[in-house]
Amino acid sequence: MERITVVKIGGNVIDSPEATARFVEAFAALEGPKLLVHGGGKLATRLAAQLGIESRMVDGRRITDRETLDVVTMVYAGLINKRLVAALSAAGCRAIGLSGADGNAVTARRRSPQPVDYGFVGDIERVDSALLRRLLEDGMAPVFSAIMHDGKGTLLNCNADSVASAVALGAAEIAPTDLVFCFEKAGVLRNPDDDTSLIREITAATYPPLKADGVVSKGMIPKVENALKAVANGVRSVTIKHSENLLNDTGTVIR
């Protein structure tokens, strides 16, 4: 394999049937071996409310107690994952839906309860790159939800951006790998309300001033920091771009 592409999508694509349909066509047309990682969108929150389960968030991250773990597993690894796999299959892409537990593909450890107890939330420990190689060599496109496991029978809810970075690092053990984070903006913007203020490139040297000045803030901080960590550890490049531009040479490149 000359090149592997790992793409991550979030709620902006998942919550819109129209955006999902357009993304699926673009991903199916993407050339070469590829993997998809998806988040959960708002469906888990809506279903939890219908079941009388309160959704609690701290700094934008979901507190995952036992009841919430059941809901997010059903929604992320079940409904959303299989909808994506079915749509990709209809578009001619040989997609296979996976959680971390499937084939023991990705293991995680439960996050420390200090300083915040997030419950059944995990941090990635290991990606089975040999399994990824076998699937990719067979022409499959793995589609990962962000539900991982600890290898001891417990499922864990993980951050989808972190899962994408870990999967990309696993793929980089097979062949040069590019990671693409797709969301609702053109990339990292100097002015969030102005798509023409795109920052074309961010490096480990240029990032700290951008963070200090508040140009990179809130949910963009973990995206950029995950990207920098990925390129520092073997991923060839990371691009942050709008989901509509998957096949275009646009966005912010992290090197």
Side-chain angles (χ1 to χ4, degrees), residues 43-106:
L43 184 56
T45 300
R46 293 199 297 269
L47 180 58
Q50 291 170 8
L51 295 172
I53 300 170
E54 179 187 2
S55 292
R56 294 176 294 144
M57 311 289 284
V58 174
D59 296 331
R61 296 182 184 272
R62 188 183 299 272
I63 301 293
T64 308
D65 58 18
R66 177 64 70 180
E67 286 184 320
T68 303
L69 179 65
D70 289 347
V71 172
V72 297
T73 300
M74 287 188 288
V75 173
Y76 300 170
L79 186 58
I80 291 174
N81 188 267
K82 298 315 169 194
R83 280 178 175 172
L84 284 170
V85 169
L88 286 166
S89 297
C93 177
R94 291 187 67 210
I96 179 168
L98 299 170
S99 71
D102 294 303
N104 200 25
V106 185

Side-chain angles (χ1 to χ4, degrees), residues 8 37 43 65 97 110 125 159 203 223:
K8 187 267 175 178
V37 178
L43 184 56
D65 58 18
R110 185 168 172 172
E125 283 199 317
N159 176 270
T203 67
K223 270 190 173 56

Side-chain angles (χ1 to χ4, degrees), residues 30-204:
L30 193 64
E31 294 184 356
K34 55 198 173 187
L35 303 94
L36 177 62
V37 178
H38 64 84
K42 300 174 182 176
L43 184 56
T45 300
R46 293 199 297 269
L47 180 58
Q50 291 170 8
L51 295 172
I53 300 170
E54 179 187 2
S55 292
R56 294 176 294 144
M57 311 289 284
V58 174
D59 296 331
R61 296 182 184 272
R62 188 183 299 272
I63 301 293
T64 308
D65 58 18
R66 177 64 70 180
E67 286 184 320
T68 303
L69 179 65
D70 289 347
V71 172
V72 297
T73 300
M74 287 188 288
V75 173
Y76 300 170
L79 186 58
I80 291 174
N81 188 267
K82 298 315 169 194
R83 280 178 175 172
L84 284 170
V85 169
L88 286 166
S89 297
C93 177
R94 291 187 67 210
I96 179 168
L98 299 170
S99 71
D102 294 303
N104 200 25
V106 185
T107 55
R109 66 182 181 279
R110 185 168 172 172
R111 185 173 297 171
S112 168
Q114 301 298 329
V116 178
D117 187 355
Y118 284 97
F120 292 94
V121 166
D123 295 312
I124 307 300
E125 283 199 317
R126 183 193 63 85
V127 175
D128 187 346
S129 58
L131 174 61
L132 298 185
R133 179 191 292 274
R134 290 194 295 273
L135 292 171
L136 294 172
E137 286 180 342
D138 195 38
M140 295 285 191
V143 179
F144 279 97
S145 68
I147 300 298
M148 304 294 114
H149 77 134
D150 66 357
K152 302 173 184 176
T154 300
L155 294 171
L156 295 168
N157 182 21
C158 293
N159 176 270
D161 286 348
S162 299
V163 172
S165 294
V167 168
L169 287 169
E173 296 180 18
I174 305 167
T177 297
D178 298 310
L179 172 59
V180 182
F181 287 110
C182 289
F183 76 137
E184 69 276 7
K185 296 288 185 179
V188 182
L189 306 176
R190 290 192 178 277
N191 178 354
D193 299 319
D194 181 7
D195 277 354
T196 66
S197 65
L198 177 70
I199 300 171
R200 293 289 182 178
E201 182 176 280
I202 295 176
T203 67

